[in-house]
Amino acid sequence: MIGQNEYYDGQVRSLEFANQQGKFTVGVMEPGEWTFEAPTREWMILVRGTWDVRLPGRDDWVTYTEGESFQIEGDESFTVRIADTVAYVCPYT
């Protein structure tokens, strides 16, 4: 079964699914600055575009480009800052 998620008045949208490899979301984010709570461990893999990320416990921004990823341990929040629409894949546990 495929689920749908929508955040920030539809400016962030994803499809959620599970298969033999685990649980995933695939989505797009419009330009803006978005903060997310990650209740479980997840990996954010950027498929298209560039984003700046403020990771948990840090004050600085780190830039990620297509093909790069970062990991969130769970029970943490992170913020992304986007200048142009991006696409991502997010496996999680």
Side-chain angles (χ1 to χ4, degrees):
M1 182 174 209
I2 298 173
Q4 286 186 201
N5 301 307
E6 187 173 307
Y7 308 96
Y8 297 105
D9 296 323
Q11 294 183 60
V12 177
R13 296 182 188 192
S14 66
L15 298 176
E16 181 177 41
F17 67 99
N19 64 19
Q20 292 177 346
Q21 293 176 294
K23 299 175 182 177
F24 300 85
T25 61
V26 294
V28 294
M29 296 183 193
E30 294 287 346
E33 188 172 306
W34 316 117
T35 299
F36 300 95
E37 299 292 327
T40 63
R41 178 180 293 150
E42 60 183 55
W43 296 263
M44 296 294 291
I45 304 163
L46 189 59
V47 177
R48 286 285 187 261
T50 300
W51 55 17
D52 297 321
V53 180
R54 189 170 49 223
L55 296 167
R58 299 191 54 177
D59 293 326
D60 61 325
W61 294 90
V62 179
T63 300
Y64 293 87
T65 60
E66 292 179 18
E68 295 184 316
S69 65
F70 60 91
Q71 179 179 329
I72 303 298
E73 289 302 317
D75 294 323
E76 298 178 314
S77 64
F78 64 96
T79 302
V80 294
R81 186 171 58 194
I82 300 164
D84 197 9
T85 304
V86 301
Y88 66 92
V89 174
C90 177
Y92 63 95
T93 57

